[in-house]
Coordinates of all heavy atoms in Angstrom, one line a residue:
M14 N 71.6 -2.7 -94.1 CA 73.0 -2.9 -94.0 C 73.8 -1.7 -94.4 O 73.5 -1.1 -95.5 CB 73.5 -4.2 -94.8 CG 74.9 -4.7 -94.6 SD 75.1 -6.4 -94.7 CE 75.1 -6.7 -96.5
K15 N 74.9 -1.4 -93.8 CA 75.7 -0.2 -94.2 C 77.1 -0.7 -94.7 O 77.5 -1.9 -94.7 CB 76.0 0.5 -92.9 CG 74.8 1.2 -92.3 CD 74.3 2.3 -93.2 CE 73.2 3.1 -92.4 NZ 72.7 4.2 -93.2
K16 N 77.7 0.2 -95.4 CA 79.0 -0.1 -96.1 C 80.0 1.0 -95.9 O 79.7 2.1 -95.8 CB 78.9 -0.5 -97.6 CG 78.4 0.7 -98.4 CD 78.4 0.3 -99.9 CE 77.9 1.4 -100.8 NZ 77.8 1.1 -102.2
A17 N 81.3 0.6 -95.8 CA 82.3 1.6 -95.7 C 83.6 0.9 -96.3 O 83.6 -0.3 -96.4 CB 82.7 1.9 -94.3
T18 N 84.6 1.7 -96.8 CA 85.7 1.1 -97.4 C 86.6 0.7 -96.2 O 86.6 1.3 -95.1 CB 86.5 2.1 -98.3 OG1 86.9 3.2 -97.5 CG2 85.6 2.5 -99.4
C19 N 87.5 -0.2 -96.5 CA 88.5 -0.7 -95.6 C 89.3 0.7 -95.1 O 89.6 0.8 -93.8 CB 89.6 -1.5 -96.3 SG 91.0 -2.1 -95.4
K20 N 89.5 1.6 -96.0 CA 90.3 2.8 -95.5 C 89.5 3.7 -94.5 O 90.1 4.2 -93.5 CB 90.5 3.7 -96.8 CG 91.9 3.5 -97.4 CD 92.1 4.4 -98.5 CE 93.2 4.0 -99.4 NZ 93.1 4.6 -100.7
Q21 N 88.2 3.8 -94.7 CA 87.4 4.4 -93.8 C 87.4 3.9 -92.4 O 87.1 4.5 -91.4 CB 85.9 4.5 -94.3 CG 85.7 5.6 -95.4 CD 84.2 5.4 -95.8 OE1 83.8 4.5 -96.4 NE2 83.5 6.5 -95.4
L22 N 87.7 2.6 -92.3 CA 87.8 1.8 -91.1 C 89.2 1.7 -90.6 O 89.6 0.7 -90.0 CB 87.1 0.5 -91.2 CG 85.6 0.5 -91.7 CD1 85.1 -0.8 -92.1 CD2 84.8 1.2 -90.6
A23 N 90.1 2.7 -90.9 CA 91.4 2.7 -90.4 C 92.3 1.6 -91.1 O 93.3 1.2 -90.5 CB 91.4 2.6 -88.9
G24 N 91.8 1.1 -92.3 CA 92.5 0.1 -93.0 C 93.4 0.7 -94.1 O 93.8 1.9 -94.0
A25 N 93.5 -0.1 -95.1 CA 94.5 0.3 -96.1 C 94.1 0.2 -97.6 O 94.9 0.6 -98.5 CB 95.8 -0.5 -95.9
C26 N 92.9 -0.3 -97.8 CA 92.5 -0.4 -99.3 C 91.1 0.0 -99.5 O 90.4 0.5 -98.5 CB 92.7 -1.9 -99.8 SG 91.5 -3.1 -99.1
D27 N 90.6 -0.1 -100.7 CA 89.2 0.4 -101.0 C 88.3 -0.6 -101.1 O 87.1 -0.5 -101.6 CB 89.2 1.1 -102.4 CG 90.1 2.4 -102.3 OD1 90.0 3.2 -101.3 OD2 90.9 2.7 -103.2
E28 N 88.6 -1.8 -100.5 CA 87.6 -2.9 -100.4 C 86.4 -2.5 -99.6 O 86.5 -1.8 -98.6 CB 88.2 -4.1 -99.8 CG 87.2 -5.3 -99.9 CD 88.0 -6.6 -100.2 OE1 88.9 -6.6 -100.9 OE2 87.6 -7.6 -99.6
I29 N 85.2 -2.9 -100.0 CA 83.9 -2.6 -99.3 C 83.7 -3.5 -98.1 O 83.7 -4.7 -98.2 CB 82.8 -2.5 -100.2 CG1 82.9 -1.6 -101.4 CG2 81.5 -2.2 -99.4 CD1 82.9 -0.1 -100.9
I30 N 83.6 -3.0 -96.9 CA 83.3 -3.8 -95.7 C 81.8 -3.5 -95.3 O 81.4 -2.3 -95.3 CB 84.1 -3.4 -94.5 CG1 85.6 -3.2 -94.9 CG2 84.0 -4.3 -93.4 CD1 86.3 -4.5 -95.1
T31 N 81.0 -4.5 -95.0 CA 79.6 -4.2 -94.7 C 79.3 -4.7 -93.4 O 80.1 -5.5 -92.7 CB 78.7 -4.9 -95.8 OG1 79.0 -6.3 -95.7 CG2 78.8 -4.5 -97.2
G32 N 78.1 -4.3 -92.8 CA 77.7 -4.8 -91.5 C 76.3 -4.2 -91.2 O 76.0 -3.2 -91.7
N33 N 75.5 -5.0 -90.5 CA 74.2 -4.5 -90.0 C 74.4 -3.6 -88.7 O 73.5 -2.8 -88.6 CB 73.3 -5.6 -89.8 CG 72.8 -6.4 -91.0 OD1 72.4 -5.7 -91.9 ND2 73.0 -7.7 -91.0
T34 N 75.4 -3.7 -88.0 CA 75.6 -3.0 -86.8 C 77.1 -2.6 -86.8 O 78.0 -3.2 -87.5 CB 75.3 -3.9 -85.5 OG1 76.3 -5.0 -85.6 CG2 74.0 -4.4 -85.5
P35 N 77.4 -1.5 -86.0 CA 78.9 -1.2 -85.9 C 79.8 -2.4 -85.5 O 80.8 -2.5 -85.9 CB 78.8 -0.1 -84.8 CG 77.5 0.5 -84.9 CD 76.6 -0.6 -85.2
E36 N 79.2 -3.2 -84.5 CA 79.9 -4.3 -84.0 C 80.3 -5.3 -85.2 O 81.4 -5.7 -85.3 CB 79.2 -5.1 -82.9 CG 79.0 -4.3 -81.7 CD 77.9 -3.3 -81.6 OE1 77.1 -3.3 -82.6 OE2 77.8 -2.4 -80.8
E37 N 79.2 -5.5 -85.9 CA 79.4 -6.5 -87.1 C 80.4 -6.0 -88.1 O 81.2 -6.7 -88.7 CB 78.0 -6.7 -87.7 CG 78.0 -8.0 -88.7 CD 76.6 -8.1 -89.2 OE1 75.6 -8.0 -88.6 OE2 76.6 -8.3 -90.5
M38 N 80.3 -4.6 -88.4 CA 81.2 -4.1 -89.4 C 82.7 -4.1 -88.9 O 83.6 -4.4 -89.6 CB 80.8 -2.6 -89.7 CG 81.6 -2.1 -90.9 SD 81.2 -0.4 -91.3 CE 79.7 -0.7 -92.5
A39 N 82.8 -3.8 -87.6 CA 84.2 -3.8 -87.0 C 84.8 -5.2 -87.0 O 85.9 -5.5 -87.3 CB 84.2 -3.3 -85.5
E40 N 83.9 -6.2 -86.8 CA 84.3 -7.6 -86.9 C 84.7 -7.9 -88.3 O 85.8 -8.6 -88.5 CB 83.1 -8.5 -86.3 CG 83.5 -9.9 -85.9 CD 84.6 -9.9 -84.9 OE1 84.6 -9.1 -83.9 OE2 85.5 -10.7 -85.1
N41 N 83.9 -7.5 -89.2 CA 84.2 -7.9 -90.7 C 85.5 -7.2 -91.1 O 86.2 -7.7 -91.8 CB 83.0 -7.5 -91.6 CG 81.9 -8.4 -91.4 OD1 82.0 -9.5 -91.0 ND2 80.7 -8.0 -91.8
S42 N 85.7 -5.9 -90.6 CA 86.9 -5.2 -90.9 C 88.1 -5.8 -90.3 O 89.2 -6.1 -91.0 CB 86.8 -3.8 -90.3 OG 88.1 -3.2 -90.3
K43 N 88.0 -6.4 -89.2 CA 89.1 -7.1 -88.5 C 89.5 -8.4 -89.3 O 90.5 -8.7 -89.6 CB 88.7 -7.4 -87.0 CG 89.9 -7.6 -86.2 CD 89.5 -8.2 -84.8 CE 88.8 -7.2 -83.9 NZ 88.3 -7.8 -82.6
K44 N 88.4 -9.1 -89.7 CA 88.5 -10.3 -90.4 C 89.3 -10.0 -91.8 O 90.1 -10.8 -92.2 CB 87.1 -10.9 -90.7 CG 87.1 -12.4 -90.5 CD 85.6 -13.0 -90.9 CE 84.7 -12.8 -89.8 NZ 83.2 -13.1 -90.2
H45 N 88.8 -9.0 -92.5 CA 89.5 -8.5 -93.7 C 90.9 -8.2 -93.5 O 91.8 -8.7 -94.2 CB 88.7 -7.4 -94.2 CG 89.5 -6.6 -95.3 ND1 89.5 -7.1 -96.6 CD2 90.2 -5.5 -95.3 CE1 90.2 -6.2 -97.3 NE2 90.7 -5.3 -96.5
A46 N 91.3 -7.6 -92.4 CA 92.7 -7.2 -92.1 C 93.5 -8.5 -91.9 O 94.6 -8.6 -92.4 CB 92.7 -6.3 -90.9
M47 N 92.9 -9.4 -91.2 CA 93.6 -10.7 -90.9 C 93.9 -11.5 -92.2 O 94.9 -12.0 -92.3 CB 92.7 -11.6 -90.0 CG 92.5 -11.1 -88.6 SD 94.0 -11.0 -87.6 CE 93.5 -10.6 -86.0
E48 N 92.8 -11.4 -93.1 CA 93.0 -12.1 -94.4 C 94.1 -11.5 -95.3 O 94.6 -12.1 -96.2 CB 91.7 -12.1 -95.1 CG 90.8 -13.2 -94.5 CD 89.3 -12.9 -95.1 OE1 89.1 -12.1 -95.9 OE2 88.5 -13.6 -94.5
N49 N 94.4 -10.2 -94.9 CA 95.4 -9.5 -95.8 C 96.7 -9.2 -95.0 O 97.4 -8.2 -95.3 CB 94.7 -8.2 -96.3 CG 93.7 -8.5 -97.3 OD1 94.1 -8.7 -98.5 ND2 92.4 -8.5 -96.9
M50 N 97.0 -10.0 -93.9 CA 98.2 -9.7 -93.2 C 99.4 -9.9 -93.9 O 100.5 -9.4 -93.4 CB 98.2 -10.6 -91.9 CG 97.5 -10.0 -90.7 SD 98.3 -8.5 -90.2 CE 97.1 -7.2 -90.6
N51 N 99.4 -10.5 -95.1 CA 100.7 -10.6 -95.9 C 100.9 -9.3 -96.7 O 101.9 -9.2 -97.4 CB 100.8 -11.8 -96.7 CG 99.5 -12.1 -97.5 OD1 98.6 -11.2 -97.4 ND2 99.5 -13.2 -98.1
D52 N 100.0 -8.3 -96.7 CA 100.1 -7.1 -97.3 C 100.6 -6.1 -96.4 O 100.1 -5.8 -95.3 CB 98.7 -6.7 -97.8 CG 98.7 -5.3 -98.4 OD1 99.6 -5.1 -99.4 OD2 98.0 -4.4 -98.1
E53 N 101.7 -5.4 -96.8 CA 102.4 -4.5 -95.9 C 101.5 -3.3 -95.4 O 101.6 -2.9 -94.3 CB 103.7 -3.9 -96.5 CG 104.6 -3.4 -95.6 CD 105.9 -3.0 -96.2 OE1 106.3 -3.6 -97.2 OE2 106.6 -2.0 -95.8
A54 N 100.7 -2.8 -96.3 CA 99.9 -1.6 -96.0 C 98.9 -2.0 -94.9 O 98.7 -1.2 -94.0 CB 99.1 -1.2 -97.2
H55 N 98.3 -3.3 -95.0 CA 97.4 -3.7 -93.9 C 98.1 -4.0 -92.6 O 97.6 -3.7 -91.6 CB 96.7 -4.9 -94.4 CG 95.6 -4.7 -95.3 ND1 95.8 -4.5 -96.7 CD2 94.2 -4.3 -95.2 CE1 94.7 -4.2 -97.4 NE2 93.7 -4.1 -96.4
Q56 N 99.3 -4.5 -92.6 CA 100.1 -4.7 -91.5 C 100.4 -3.4 -90.8 O 100.2 -3.3 -89.5 CB 101.5 -5.2 -91.8 CG 101.5 -6.8 -91.9 CD 102.9 -7.2 -92.4 OE1 103.9 -6.6 -92.1 NE2 102.9 -8.3 -93.1
Q57 N 100.7 -2.3 -91.6 CA 101.0 -1.0 -90.9 C 99.7 -0.4 -90.3 O 99.8 0.2 -89.2 CB 101.6 -0.1 -92.0 CG 103.0 -0.4 -92.2 CD 103.7 0.5 -93.4 OE1 102.9 1.3 -94.0 NE2 104.9 0.2 -93.7
A58 N 98.6 -0.6 -91.0 CA 97.3 0.0 -90.5 C 97.0 -0.7 -89.2 O 96.6 0.0 -88.2 CB 96.2 -0.3 -91.5
M59 N 97.2 -2.0 -89.1 CA 96.9 -2.8 -87.9 C 97.8 -2.4 -86.8 O 97.4 -2.1 -85.7 CB 97.1 -4.2 -88.2 CG 96.7 -5.2 -87.0 SD 95.0 -5.2 -86.9 CE 94.6 -6.9 -87.2
Q60 N 99.1 -2.2 -87.1 CA 100.1 -1.8 -86.1 C 99.7 -0.4 -85.5 O 99.9 -0.1 -84.4 CB 101.5 -1.7 -86.7 CG 102.2 -3.1 -86.5 CD 103.3 -3.3 -87.4 OE1 103.9 -2.4 -88.0 NE2 103.8 -4.5 -87.6
A61 N 99.4 0.6 -86.5 CA 99.0 1.9 -86.0 C 97.8 1.8 -85.0 O 97.8 2.6 -84.0 CB 98.5 2.7 -87.3
M62 N 96.9 0.9 -85.3 CA 95.7 0.7 -84.4 C 96.2 0.2 -83.0 O 95.7 0.7 -82.0 CB 94.8 -0.2 -85.1 CG 93.3 -0.2 -84.6 SD 92.6 1.5 -84.8 CE 91.0 1.0 -84.9
M63 N 97.1 -0.8 -83.1 CA 97.6 -1.4 -81.8 C 98.4 -0.4 -81.1 O 98.4 -0.5 -79.8 CB 98.5 -2.6 -82.2 CG 98.0 -3.6 -83.1 SD 96.7 -4.5 -82.2 CE 97.5 -6.1 -82.2
K64 N 99.0 0.7 -81.7 CA 99.8 1.6 -81.0 C 99.0 2.6 -80.3 O 99.4 3.3 -79.3 CB 100.7 2.3 -82.0 CG 102.2 1.9 -81.9 CD 103.1 2.7 -82.7 CE 103.7 1.9 -83.8 NZ 104.2 2.7 -85.0
M65 N 97.7 2.7 -80.6 CA 96.9 3.7 -79.9 C 96.7 3.3 -78.5 O 96.5 2.1 -78.3 CB 95.5 3.8 -80.7 CG 95.7 4.5 -82.0 SD 94.3 5.0 -83.0 CE 92.9 4.2 -82.5
S66 N 96.5 4.3 -77.6 CA 96.2 3.9 -76.2 C 94.8 3.4 -76.2 O 94.0 3.5 -77.1 CB 96.3 5.1 -75.4 OG 95.3 6.1 -75.6
E67 N 94.4 2.8 -75.0 CA 93.1 2.3 -74.9 C 92.0 3.3 -75.0 O 91.0 3.2 -75.7 CB 92.9 1.6 -73.5 CG 91.7 0.7 -73.5 CD 91.8 -0.4 -72.4 OE1 93.0 -0.9 -72.3 OE2 90.9 -0.7 -71.8
E68 N 92.4 4.5 -74.5 CA 91.5 5.6 -74.6 C 91.2 6.1 -76.0 O 90.1 6.4 -76.5 CB 92.0 6.9 -73.7 CG 91.0 7.8 -73.4 CD 91.6 9.1 -72.7 OE1 92.6 8.9 -72.2 OE2 91.0 10.2 -72.7
E69 N 92.3 6.2 -76.8 CA 92.3 6.6 -78.2 C 91.5 5.5 -79.0 O 90.7 6.0 -79.8 CB 93.8 6.6 -78.8 CG 94.4 7.9 -78.4 CD 95.9 7.8 -78.9 OE1 96.5 6.8 -78.8 OE2 96.4 8.9 -79.3
Q70 N 91.7 4.3 -78.7 CA 90.9 3.2 -79.4 C 89.4 3.3 -79.1 O 88.7 3.2 -79.9 CB 91.3 1.8 -79.0 CG 92.7 1.5 -79.6 CD 93.1 0.0 -79.3 OE1 92.3 -0.8 -79.0 NE2 94.4 -0.2 -79.4
Q71 N 89.1 3.7 -77.8 CA 87.7 3.9 -77.4 C 87.1 5.1 -78.2 O 86.0 5.0 -78.6 CB 87.6 4.0 -75.9 CG 87.6 2.6 -75.2 CD 87.7 2.7 -73.7 OE1 87.7 3.8 -73.1 NE2 87.8 1.5 -73.1
N72 N 88.0 6.2 -78.2 CA 87.4 7.3 -78.8 C 87.2 7.0 -80.4 O 86.2 7.5 -80.9 CB 88.5 8.5 -78.8 CG 88.4 9.2 -77.4 OD1 87.3 9.1 -76.7 ND2 89.4 9.8 -76.9
W73 N 88.1 6.3 -80.9 CA 88.0 5.9 -82.4 C 86.7 5.1 -82.6 O 86.0 5.4 -83.5 CB 89.1 5.2 -82.9 CG 89.2 4.9 -84.3 CD1 89.7 5.7 -85.3 CD2 88.5 3.8 -85.0 NE1 89.4 5.2 -86.5 CE2 88.8 4.0 -86.4 CE3 87.7 2.7 -84.6 CZ2 88.2 3.2 -87.4 CZ3 87.3 1.8 -85.5 CH2 87.4 2.1 -86.9
Y74 N 86.5 4.2 -81.7 CA 85.3 3.3 -81.8 C 84.0 4.1 -81.6 O 83.0 3.9 -82.3 CB 85.4 2.1 -80.8 CG 84.5 1.1 -81.1 CD1 84.6 0.2 -82.3 CD2 83.3 0.9 -80.3 CE1 83.6 -0.7 -82.5 CE2 82.4 -0.1 -80.6 CZ 82.4 -0.9 -81.7 OH 81.6 -1.8 -81.9
K75 N 84.1 5.1 -80.7 CA 82.9 5.9 -80.3 C 82.5 6.7 -81.6 O 81.3 6.7 -82.0 CB 83.1 6.7 -79.2 CG 81.9 7.4 -78.7 CD 82.2 8.3 -77.4 CE 81.0 9.1 -77.1 NZ 80.6 10.0 -78.2
N76 N 83.5 7.3 -82.2 CA 83.3 8.1 -83.4 C 82.7 7.2 -84.5 O 81.8 7.6 -85.2 CB 84.6 8.7 -84.0 CG 85.0 9.9 -83.2 OD1 84.2 10.5 -82.5 ND2 86.3 10.3 -83.1
F77 N 83.2 6.1 -84.6 CA 82.8 5.1 -85.7 C 81.3 4.7 -85.4 O 80.5 4.8 -86.3 CB 83.7 3.8 -85.6 CG 83.1 2.6 -86.4 CD1 82.8 2.7 -87.7 CD2 82.9 1.5 -85.7 CE1 82.3 1.6 -88.5 CE2 82.4 0.4 -86.4 CZ 82.0 0.5 -87.7
V78 N 81.0 4.5 -84.1 CA 79.5 4.1 -83.8 C 78.7 5.4 -84.1 O 77.6 5.2 -84.7 CB 79.5 3.7 -82.3 CG1 78.0 3.5 -81.9 CG2 80.2 2.3 -82.2
D79 N 79.1 6.5 -83.7 CA 78.4 7.7 -84.0 C 78.2 8.0 -85.4 O 77.1 8.6 -85.8 CB 79.0 9.0 -83.3 CG 78.9 9.0 -81.8 OD1 78.1 8.2 -81.3 OD2 79.6 9.7 -81.1
S80 N 79.1 7.7 -86.3 CA 78.9 8.0 -87.7 C 78.4 6.9 -88.5 O 78.1 7.0 -89.7 CB 80.3 8.4 -88.2 OG 81.2 7.2 -88.1
F81 N 78.1 5.7 -87.8 CA 77.6 4.6 -88.4 C 76.3 4.8 -89.2 O 76.2 4.4 -90.5 CB 77.4 3.4 -87.5 CG 77.0 2.2 -88.1 CD1 78.0 1.4 -88.7 CD2 75.7 1.7 -88.1 CE1 77.7 0.1 -89.3 CE2 75.4 0.4 -88.7 CZ 76.4 -0.3 -89.4
D82 N 75.4 5.5 -88.7 CA 74.1 5.8 -89.4 C 74.3 6.7 -90.6 O 73.5 6.6 -91.5 CB 73.2 6.5 -88.4 CG 72.6 5.6 -87.4 OD1 72.6 4.4 -87.6 OD2 72.1 6.1 -86.3
S83 N 75.4 7.5 -90.6 CA 75.6 8.3 -91.9 C 76.3 7.6 -93.0 O 76.5 8.2 -94.0 CB 76.3 9.6 -91.4 OG 77.5 9.3 -90.9
L84 N 76.7 6.4 -92.8 CA 77.4 5.6 -93.8 C 76.4 5.3 -94.9 O 75.2 5.3 -94.6 CB 78.0 4.3 -93.2 CG 79.2 4.5 -92.3 CD1 79.5 3.2 -91.7 CD2 80.4 5.1 -93.0
E85 N 76.9 5.0 -96.1 CA 76.0 4.7 -97.2 C 75.4 3.3 -96.9 O 76.0 2.4 -96.4 CB 76.9 4.5 -98.4 CG 76.9 5.9 -99.2 CD 77.7 5.7 -100.5 OE1 77.1 5.0 -101.4 OE2 78.8 6.1 -100.6
D86 N 74.2 3.1 -97.4 CA 73.5 1.8 -97.3 C 74.1 0.8 -98.3 O 74.4 1.2 -99.4 CB 72.0 2.0 -97.6 CG 71.3 2.7 -96.4 OD1 71.6 2.4 -95.3 OD2 70.5 3.6 -96.7
A87 N 74.3 -0.4 -97.9 CA 74.9 -1.3 -98.8 C 73.8 -2.1 -99.6 O 72.6 -2.1 -99.1 CB 75.7 -2.4 -98.1
Ligands
ZN30 ZN1 91.8 -3.6 -96.9

């Protein structure tokens, strides 16, 4: 299992997000953001993500998948 901070995943805090696969980590990151939607920093991070074009989002996700193996083990 790998770990990354919320911030490393385009979020807003230092909470640790874990996952066995990039998909799982992205899902956990989304869940964490949803749970913190009353926090302004997380709202802004989510909005910044939504503002990206589909291509930008895909590029971001591709980079995330490519760097997944180099993340720290949880
Ligand atoms: Zn967070």
Side-chain angles (χ1 to χ4, degrees):
M14 190 149 79
K15 295 289 190 180
K16 65 176 179 183
T18 62
C19 175
K20 266 183 195 159
Q21 280 179 291
L22 301 168
C26 71
D27 291 319
E28 185 148 322
I29 301 293
I30 314 283
T31 57
N33 287 310
T34 62
E36 291 79 15
E37 194 181 314
M38 189 179 272
E40 198 53 45
N41 286 339
S42 165
K43 205 189 288 174
K44 222 181 278 170
H45 164 78
M47 293 297 190
E48 283 163 5
N49 289 279
M50 267 301 109
N51 47 6
D52 175 56
E53 201 177 328
H55 285 86
Q56 271 174 34
Q57 280 174 3
M59 185 73 117
Q60 274 163 12
M62 199 61 152
M63 302 291 241
K64 254 187 246 162
M65 291 190 343
S66 68
E67 195 152 325
E68 197 185 341
E69 282 172 323
Q70 285 188 19
Q71 277 168 6
N72 280 339
W73 186 92
Y74 192 70
K75 189 182 174 298
N76 281 337
F77 166 60
V78 172
D79 286 348
S80 64
F81 187 77
D82 282 341
S83 61
L84 292 173
E85 271 183 71
D86 289 320

